[in-house]
Amino acid sequence: IAHLEEVWKIYRLGTIDVPAVRGVSLKVNEGDYLVIVGPSGSGKSTLMHLLGCLDTPTSGNYWLRGERVADLNDSELAEIRNRRIGFVFQQFNLLAPISALRNVELPLVYAGVPRPERKERAEAMLARLGLEKWAQHKPAELSGGQQQRVAIARALVTNPDFVLADEPTGNLDSVASSEVMDLFDELSRDGKTIVLITHEMDIARRAHLIVRVRDGLLVDAS
Amino acid sequence: IAHLEEVWKIYRLGTIDVPAVRGVSLKVNEGDYLVIVGPSGSGKSTLMHLLGCLDTPTSGNYWLRGERVADLNDSELAEIRNRRIGFVFQQFNLLAPISALRNVELPLVYAGVPRPERKERAEAMLARLGLEKWAQHKPAELSGGQQQRVAIARALVTNPDFVLADEPTGNLDSVASSEVMDLFDELSRDGKTIVLITHEMDIARRAHLIVRVRDGLLVDAS
Ligand SMILES: Nc1ncnc2c1ncn2[C@@H]1O[C@H](COP(=O)(O)OP(=O)(O)OP(=O)(O)O)[C@@H](O)[C@H]1O
Ligand SMILES: Nc1ncnc2c1ncn2[C@@H]1O[C@H](COP(=O)(O)OP(=O)(O)OP(=O)(O)O)[C@@H](O)[C@H]1O
Ligand SMILES: [Mg+2]
Ligand SMILES: [Mg+2]
């Protein structure tokens, strides 16, 4: 489903170059359940942004379902991002002025789903994450862990077949964490392709494949 | 140093009341090293915001160094928050347009510390957290874990004697986490008063006292 080939990502900071990802080659197959681990600043989020077509490589190739991403135009990329890929950001990125429910409905608005069905699917996904009582709260009226679960609900509501999640349990206590991970395990059993970033080894052990990065390099995959 | 007596915090959401903290009484003594644990949404961050004078109780009393906080005016409160209390927010709250170094210098600007000393102290604190190479990066040019360590550096640069930290290791791998916790342990040995929120039990075990909350109530302190 996703194939990175000798991909580099170099940020330019004034006159300095910051190589965040350095010559990484990685194949993610349909139905894989993959975890990326590595120290803080090692390039995990950058790698995920490239996989999710949220950023473009400085050099190297990226193929998504056999198509070269560099050859796709903006509207084709937006379509792939909206319908195919569910992304949970490390810093949530919820829209502050609207409620949890409207935040979760948003991807369905872009996908043109009519209002009654949108509302029903968004409510069901919030309930699935234990947040039905908080649907009308705005992000600032939610706790850190509740905001994180709203971000997960928003990523999954379009029923994407490729789920990318950056530290999805970082702000959660052990009970809420295992509820979220049970949901990811279920999606994996349904055949979805899942790539997760975590620094908690008991979470990493649930995946089928662990990929380690350090200083922008892929050091091990097992 | 801090004494909460029968404190409630009730948020008003449209026409509904959301009781986040319900009748909590808690004494924090000089030099204490206290951890607050509890499920997501149980009132931990709300309790910390009250302790840090970032929010005011709906009812009940709060005394800080013997003074009733409700009797203090805005400039007295700002002085206490700036000089006495170091606060690490769960969502970092770094200023996006300025560099990591300038973010860390900011509390010293408010405290009127001259520029050369400000820069030196901010650089030293960033180096203490392993970030000297990233001092010129803006928050969006840092990884999640690096942003979190900048937020910790900013909270500690004024050398406060009361440190409040909300999930300070939430985004950190085990190596960076233990470096941060070693720093907190050192501050505690120096006689600082520390209150931490965490959901990781190996972190909680470092403290002298563990306080458990659930649904806004203090359920246990040991
Ligand atoms: N401004 C607000 N308006 C309404 N409700 C709020 C507001 N802020 C917080 N809440 C609610 O108060 C409760 C306690 O929130 P708090 O942020 O203290 O939880 P927490 O224990 O820190 O959780 P977490 O571990 O997820 O960070 C939550 O149910 C939350 O939805
Ligand atoms: N826009 C940017 N400009 C310059 N440097 C950047 C930018 N974004 C990230 N970096 C740098 O690239 C490196 C990799 O960042 P990345 O966010 O991928 O790390 P990470 O592995 O996700 O870390 P964490 O576990 O702390 O979230 C870091 O050293 C970071 O400072
Ligand atoms: Mg990251
Ligand atoms: Mg919280």
Side-chain angles (χ1 to χ4, degrees):
Chain A
I1 184 170
H3 180 202
L4 291 167
E5 187 191 62
E6 279 300 315
V7 163
W8 287 70
K9 179 70 188 174
I10 302 172
Y11 293 106
R12 209 165 165 72
L13 196 62
T15 55
I16 320 164
D17 278 349
V18 180
V21 169
R22 303 193 286 162
V24 166
S25 297
L26 180 66
K27 264 209 185 93
V28 181
N29 299 313
E30 197 88 42
D32 267 1
Y33 193 171
L34 191 102
V35 160
I36 305 174
V37 294
S40 169
S42 57
K44 302 185 296 297
S45 294
T46 304
L47 204 51
M48 279 289 256
H49 294 162
L50 295 172
L51 284 172
C53 306
L54 295 165
D55 208 343
T56 50
T58 314
S59 74
N61 288 312
Y62 181 34
W63 282 279
L64 188 62
R65 301 174 176 286
E67 298 192 80
R68 242 171 68 86
V69 170
D71 298 340
L72 299 172
N73 64 34
D74 282 350
S75 79
E76 286 166 325
L77 271 179
E79 163 97 0
I80 284 179
R81 274 200 299 266
N82 182 248
R83 298 212 188 218
R84 295 257 183 233
I85 301 174
F87 204 100
V88 182
F89 295 92
Q90 192 170 1
Q91 302 293 337
F92 315 153
N93 295 341
L94 297 174
L95 296 191
I98 60 176
S99 72
L101 184 66
R102 303 285 290 157
N103 263 288
V104 176
E105 278 187 37
L106 214 59
L108 299 174
V109 173
Y110 297 140
V113 172
R115 170 117 182 112
E117 183 193 342
R118 236 172 38 216
K119 193 162 181 299
E120 195 184 304
R121 282 172 64 182
E123 277 169 355
M125 190 49 84
L126 278 173
R128 182 79 176 74
L129 287 152
L131 290 175
E132 58 275 46
K133 281 183 8 218
W134 285 275
Q136 296 310 325
H137 287 232
K138 296 191 175 71
E141 299 164 344
L142 292 168
S143 77
Q146 290 165 342
Q147 290 179 36
Q148 185 156 45
R149 281 177 283 160
V150 171
I152 293 168
R154 181 186 57 182
L156 302 180
V157 74
T158 56
N159 203 12
D161 42 25
F162 191 23
V163 177
L164 303 170
D166 198 340
E167 315 257 16
T169 61
N171 276 282
L172 298 178
D173 58 275
S174 49
V175 169
S177 278
S178 71
E179 278 167 18
V180 165
M181 290 314 297
D182 290 347
L183 179 56
F184 282 112
D185 289 354
E186 197 183 300
L187 293 173
S188 173
R189 282 195 300 276
D190 290 349
K192 312 273 187 222
T193 310
I194 298 181
V195 178
L196 280 185
I197 294 176
T198 183
H199 53 261
E200 293 172 49
M201 287 323 280
D202 52 351
I203 303 263
R205 269 193 281 281
R206 292 189 180 223
H208 305 151
L209 186 68
I210 295 184
V211 168
R212 280 172 209 289
V213 291
R214 181 175 284 285
D215 295 332
L217 295 165
L218 211 93
V219 291
D220 174 27
S222 56
Chain B
I1 187 172
H3 179 202
L4 291 167
E5 187 192 60
E6 280 300 315
V7 163
W8 287 70
K9 180 69 187 174
I10 300 173
Y11 293 107
R12 212 164 161 72
L13 197 64
T15 54
I16 321 166
D17 278 346
V18 180
V21 169
R22 301 193 286 166
V24 166
S25 296
L26 179 66
K27 263 209 184 90
V28 181
N29 298 315
E30 197 87 44
D32 267 2
Y33 192 170
L34 190 103
V35 160
I36 304 175
V37 295
S40 169
S42 56
K44 302 184 298 295
S45 293
T46 305
L47 203 51
M48 279 290 257
H49 293 162
L50 295 171
L51 284 173
C53 305
L54 295 166
D55 207 345
T56 50
T58 313
S59 74
N61 286 312
Y62 180 33
W63 280 278
L64 188 62
R65 300 174 177 284
E67 295 190 85
R68 242 170 68 87
V69 170
D71 298 339
L72 299 173
N73 63 37
D74 282 352
S75 79
E76 285 167 327
L77 271 180
E79 163 95 1
I80 286 180
R81 274 200 300 264
N82 182 250
R83 293 193 189 246
R84 294 246 178 248
I85 301 175
F87 204 100
V88 182
F89 295 92
Q90 190 169 5
Q91 301 295 334
F92 316 152
N93 294 342
L94 296 174
L95 297 191
I98 60 176
S99 72
L101 184 66
R102 302 286 290 155
N103 263 288
V104 176
E105 278 186 35
L106 215 60
L108 298 174
V109 174
Y110 296 139
V113 173
R115 173 115 179 105
E117 184 193 339
R118 240 176 31 221
K119 193 160 180 302
E120 200 183 305
R121 282 172 64 181
E123 277 168 354
M125 190 49 84
L126 278 173
R128 181 79 177 73
L129 287 152
L131 290 175
E132 58 274 46
K133 281 176 18 208
W134 285 272
Q136 296 310 324
H137 287 232
K138 296 189 173 74
E141 299 164 343
L142 292 168
S143 77
Q146 291 165 342
Q147 290 179 36
Q148 184 155 45
R149 280 177 284 161
V150 172
I152 293 168
R154 180 187 58 182
L156 301 180
V157 75
T158 54
N159 201 12
D161 42 27
F162 190 24
V163 177
L164 303 170
D166 196 342
E167 315 257 16
T169 61
N171 277 280
L172 298 179
D173 56 280
S174 49
V175 170
S177 277
S178 72
E179 278 166 20
V180 165
M181 289 313 298
D182 288 349
L183 180 56
F184 281 114
D185 289 354
E186 197 183 300
L187 293 172
S188 172
R189 284 195 302 274
D190 291 348
K192 311 270 184 228
T193 309
I194 298 181
V195 179
L196 280 185
I197 294 176
T198 184
H199 55 260
E200 294 171 50
M201 288 323 279
D202 52 352
I203 303 263
R205 272 193 282 281
R206 292 193 182 217
H208 306 148
L209 185 68
I210 295 184
V211 169
R212 282 172 207 288
V213 290
R214 179 175 286 283
D215 295 331
L217 295 164
L218 210 83
V219 291
D220 175 23
S222 55

